Amino acid sequence: MNMISNPLSKTKKLIGDAGISFSNAFVASPLCCPSRASILTGKYPHNHHVINNTLEGNCSSKAWQKSEEANTFPALLKANAGYQTFFAGKYLNQYGHSEAGGVEHVPPGWNFWVALEKNSKYYNYTLSVNGKPQKHGADYSKDYLTDVLANMSLDFLQYKSNYQPFFMMVSTPAPHSPWTAAPQYQDSFNSTKAPRDPNFNIHGKDKHWLIRQAKTPMTNSSVQFLDDAFRKRWRTLLSVDDLVEKIVNRLKVRGELDNTYIFFTSDNGYHTGQFSLPLDKRQLYEFDIRVPLMVRGPNIKPNQTSQMLVANVDLGPTILDIAGLDVNKTQMDGMSFLPVMVNSSSWRTDILVEYEGEGSNVSDPACPLLGPGVSECFPDCVCEDSYNNTYACVRTVAPSANLQYCEFDDNEVFVEVYNVTADPFQLTNIAKTIDQEVLEKMNHRLMMLQSCAGQSCRTPGVYDPRYKFDPRQMFTSHSWRLGRLRQKMK
């Protein structure tokens, strides 16, 4: 058996090595639905109002459909640039819900629509195929979702018109739970464990209370559970790697590869044992907000890596730019990184990350001692979320600084600051020792970004030579801007 050190080796070869890999790509929110909404709209969560994975949090809700769905970048590609568009896979976690139009609802902007009803599965699921339900069982050869998505993508390439440009979005649930591998990969990575980084299984003593409540050291059963999860996730990715290979090969055979841009990325990071949190996402640290991003295509030279700071709100603007549409005529907060890929031009220095925590109104019966207000308390009653795990961060990457500045919306307005250059694993919160002037500027910048829209989200950051700091513009109170997130959409 050949040893693979990474489940996406073909993807790296076919996309990353054939183009550019970004080492500083981030999401605007470390959770599926808000992040996916940011990808589709090019907007930060405070502007698209999808705050969590529930219908009440606007995940695929009627309000989202009414206010945002017609302005997603695929809708603009189809309406304004004559693209034929294809979607396959997981869309938004509540898609297909009876209170949101069911699987009959096909969002504007898609000529061909193959969407998973609700959240991630590998077998026994329903797809909306252009608004009609298609049920699948548990037969690997007919139903394994990653392979079904690959085959439907190849069908689209086969049957699409050759007289219009095309856009495909293939969204595999893998490596999301339930982590079901294809049968031929069930024994892969048997000795693989989650990375034992310096922040693995240690107490985050200078962090927000939610991190401090994690039990350290973790129990043996928790460690076994997270190692097992890590292996299973990697196994599911082997099928994703096959999917990428099939699509790239088909483009090549059709003579279309050299004229096609291919983006590979994800909607959030994930942690397995860092700061003794067994497994989840939702946290502000690098392991949850950083994602892979590789792009190949016309005029992108191979074997490039870029340290430029890119966020998932930039994907839509970049793809619109490729199609020749003007991003400034849209409501998008992100910016096109096409110039960076083609001729490494200068670029922005900071982005916003925001998240609104969720907590249950009642105690979890399995963990009665915890009381209400927390959620995702598994395994060992270690909670991965709470209603006051609500935060916003400025993530800066500039020649002179690699910094993360975060504020929590809680009673203590808790602040976390990391110098990621000196402390890549974020072991030390320097909020109490960093220069006061830097804190003031970052606080000011954060409040500005939290209320930004469109062009104002693209203004120079603190470490940009063009930045101007005017203390007279300081907001009168250190008040939390997330109130905006909570305003229900009309």
Side-chain angles (χ1 to χ4, degrees):
M1 162 125 191
N2 57 344
M3 285 301 288
I4 309 168
S5 56
N6 175 324
L8 293 169
S9 51
K10 295 187 282 199
T11 301
K12 186 182 174 304
K13 186 169 126 256
L14 294 169
I15 305 178
D17 298 352
I20 186 166
S21 300
F22 290 88
S23 55
N24 287 310
F26 294 93
V27 293
S29 195
L31 187 61
C32 327
C33 212
S35 179
R36 285 159 182 266
S38 285
I39 292 172
L40 289 163
T41 61
K43 293 179 181 180
Y44 286 122
H46 68 265
N47 289 328
H48 65 55
H49 304 282
V50 177
I51 56 171
N52 57 40
N53 291 344
T54 67
L55 215 49
E56 301 71 49
N58 278 318
C59 182
S60 210
S61 65
K62 286 277 194 216
W64 149 268
Q65 292 170 22
K66 213 160 55 194
S67 63
E68 301 295 333
E69 214 162 49
N71 302 311
T72 61
F73 79 85
L76 299 176
L77 283 179
K78 180 171 180 267
N80 303 346
Y83 273 68
Q84 47 193 330
T85 55
F86 168 84
F87 181 86
K90 174 176 167 176
Y91 178 58
L92 298 168
N93 302 49
Q94 297 296 335
Y95 171 77
H97 195 291
S98 56
E99 284 170 48
V103 293
E104 292 72 31
H105 170 69
V106 177
W110 302 101
N111 298 92
F112 301 94
W113 175 254
V114 181
L116 179 64
E117 179 194 28
K118 301 201 180 151
N119 202 1
S120 306
K121 286 186 174 177
Y122 296 79
Y123 291 116
N124 302 312
Y125 53 86
T126 299
L127 294 175
S128 166
V129 179
N130 299 322
K132 296 195 168 57
Q134 183 186 94
K135 284 202 170 1
H136 281 263
D139 175 346
Y140 172 71
S141 60
K142 295 203 298 272
D143 303 313
Y144 187 66
L145 183 59
T146 311
D147 294 359
V148 170
L149 299 179
N151 294 335
M152 289 191 157
S153 301
L154 299 181
D155 286 348
F156 168 72
L157 288 174
Q158 197 69 37
Y159 298 119
K160 70 180 174 59
S161 155
N162 291 334
Y163 302 103
Q164 284 174 288
F166 71 92
F167 170 73
M168 303 170 70
M169 190 167 187
V170 184
S171 174
T172 64
H176 198 287
S177 60
W179 312 314
T180 314
Q184 68 272 30
Y185 296 137
Q186 274 167 354
D187 297 320
S188 306
F189 305 123
N190 269 341
S191 57
T192 301
K193 291 183 166 179
R196 299 309 201 245
D197 289 330
N199 53 10
F200 182 82
N201 205 6
I202 65 156
H203 186 54
K205 56 185 181 309
D206 54 8
K207 296 180 169 39
H208 179 53
W209 76 269
L210 186 66
I211 306 300
R212 297 197 303 265
Q213 59 89 35
K215 302 181 173 76
T216 310
M218 292 179 286
T219 61
N220 288 348
S221 61
S222 274
V223 174
Q224 272 174 338
F225 184 76
L226 68 88
D227 276 336
D228 188 45
F230 188 88
R231 275 191 288 278
K232 286 178 171 164
R233 288 163 63 81
W234 266 28
R235 288 169 188 151
T236 67
L237 287 174
L238 290 170
S239 295
V240 177
D241 208 33
D242 292 341
L243 172 147
V244 170
E245 182 182 45
K246 286 175 196 162
I247 293 175
V248 172
N249 284 348
R250 181 64 57 90
L251 287 167
K252 195 172 175 180
V253 168
R254 296 178 54 85
E256 294 175 319
L257 183 59
D258 294 341
N259 195 30
T260 304
Y261 287 91
I262 307 177
F263 292 71
F264 180 90
T265 190
S266 178
D267 57 352
N268 48 251
Y270 202 72
H271 56 259
T272 41
Q274 292 95 323
F275 302 128
S276 302
L277 297 170
L279 72 172
D280 195 37
K281 47 245 176 176
R282 298 181 168 84
Q283 308 304 336
L284 57 85
Y285 307 102
E286 293 286 285
F287 43 73
D288 285 358
I289 63 173
R290 186 187 283 275
V291 288
L293 174 61
M294 302 183 273
V295 191
R296 70 172 288 167
N299 303 320
I300 300 177
K301 294 183 191 66
N303 294 308
Q304 296 185 74
T305 49
S306 172
Q307 261 88 64
M308 293 290 183
L309 178 64
V310 179
N312 62 350
V313 293
D314 302 327
L315 293 166
T318 304
I319 292 167
L320 293 180
D321 192 8
I322 287 170
L325 295 174
D326 182 358
V327 182
N328 293 324
K329 293 204 170 88
T330 70
Q331 304 284 303
M332 294 185 175
D333 301 332
M335 54 201 287
S336 167
F337 55 91
L338 182 61
V340 172
M341 298 195 288
V342 175
N343 54 22
S344 61
S345 52
S346 68
W347 183 240
R348 66 136 93 79
T349 59
D350 66 8
I351 53 153
L352 174 69
V353 177
E354 46 191 356
Y355 178 70
E356 180 151 337
E358 293 179 85
S360 163
N361 297 332
V362 293
S363 284
D364 181 342
C367 309
L369 297 177
L370 295 175
V374 291
S375 63
E376 312 292 329
C377 302
F378 176 83
D380 286 324
C381 292
V382 172
C383 301
E384 301 278 357
D385 207 6
S386 66
Y387 72 90
N388 66 358
N389 182 38
T390 296
Y391 57 80
C393 307
V394 182
R395 184 70 182 83
T396 300
V397 177
S400 59
N402 187 350
L403 199 70
Q404 187 173 15
Y405 172 88
C406 302
E407 290 180 15
F408 281 86
D409 180 17
D410 59 11
N411 297 344
E412 39 185 358
V413 190
F414 197 82
V415 175
E416 293 191 28
V417 186
Y418 299 96
N419 174 349
V420 185
T421 312
D423 180 21
F425 296 100
Q426 297 174 300
L427 302 172
T428 311
N429 175 9
I430 55 171
K432 299 217 173 18
T433 54
I434 195 169
D435 184 37
Q436 192 58 36
E437 190 196 1
V438 174
L439 282 180
E440 272 173 37
K441 284 181 178 172
M442 292 315 263
N443 164 252
H444 182 251
R445 179 68 179 159
L446 179 61
M447 289 203 264
M448 211 226 77
L449 284 174
Q450 278 187 279
S451 51
C452 77
Q455 181 50 48
S456 59
C457 300
R458 303 191 282 270
T459 53
V462 173
Y463 288 87
D464 188 310
R466 297 163 298 175
Y467 176 76
K468 292 185 181 54
F469 178 58
D470 183 355
R472 285 170 312 189
Q473 290 180 324
M474 284 295 272
F475 295 95
T476 41
S477 72
H478 190 94
S479 70
W480 241 76
R481 304 276 137 176
L482 263 186
R484 285 167 194 283
L485 266 185
R486 297 216 174 86
Q487 286 165 10
K488 278 282 175 268
M489 287 200 289
K490 301 294 174 281

